[in-house]
Amino acid sequence: MADLHISLFSAALAALINLWLAIRCGRARLSGKVLHGDGGDVALQRHMRAQANFVEYTPFALILILVLDLADQDGWLLGLSALAYFVARLLHPLGMQADHPARTRQIGITVTFVLLACWSVWALLVGAQVI
């Protein structure tokens, strides 16, 4: 059986971050007294969008981390890049609450895009048996 510690750690972090994002939405929903949808509440819209953004990108990240882990690419590079991804996914929603372009949001999405591109190329190279 493969040692999937990076995948397991990543899945656990993803679940915890998603839970944190859901709690933020719930709190904004309660404070804005919004039962369904966003009720036009800007803070709630931003929290909902931050969670949706996380849910849009993270499944692909987890799949790529898992397949690289399964392909015995589970060294320090995969582990550190996975950790960087989740730090970026924490920075991004913090920046989404700002009324101006926030550096944390920019860093978060840039790191997300770069890592997804790198993992995709890495998986293609492993799949083509180039590495």
Side-chain angles (χ1 to χ4, degrees):
M1 183 167 176
D3 177 15
L4 301 176
H5 64 281
I6 296 171
S7 296
L8 291 166
F9 188 77
S10 297
L13 276 177
L16 290 171
I17 293 170
N18 192 56
L19 181 61
W20 170 66
L21 293 168
I23 289 168
R24 285 171 26 119
C25 286
R27 286 183 179 158
R29 186 174 298 285
L30 287 173
S31 78
K33 296 181 172 90
V34 177
L35 185 59
H36 300 289
D38 61 36
D41 184 297
V42 174
L44 178 56
Q45 290 170 355
R46 290 176 182 173
H47 285 302
M48 290 172 67
R49 191 61 216 130
Q51 185 181 23
N53 187 277
F54 180 80
V55 171
E56 290 166 1
Y57 292 106
T58 301
F60 293 103
L62 290 174
I63 290 167
L64 288 164
I65 291 166
L66 176 63
V67 297
L68 288 167
D69 210 356
L70 286 169
D72 291 328
Q73 302 293 308
D74 62 349
W76 64 270
L77 184 58
L78 183 59
L80 286 179
S81 63
L83 184 59
Y85 175 84
F86 290 107
V87 169
R89 299 318 304 164
L90 288 170
L91 292 174
H92 183 264
L94 296 174
M96 286 192 70
Q97 292 311 116
D99 289 327
H100 53 82
R103 194 84 176 126
T104 54
R105 183 180 182 188
Q106 295 167 347
I107 292 167
I109 200 63
T110 300
V111 171
T112 296
F113 285 176
V114 167
L115 287 174
L116 284 171
C118 289
W119 289 331
S120 297
V121 170
W122 189 357
L124 283 170
L125 294 173
V126 170
Q129 297 180 343
V130 173
I131 57 173

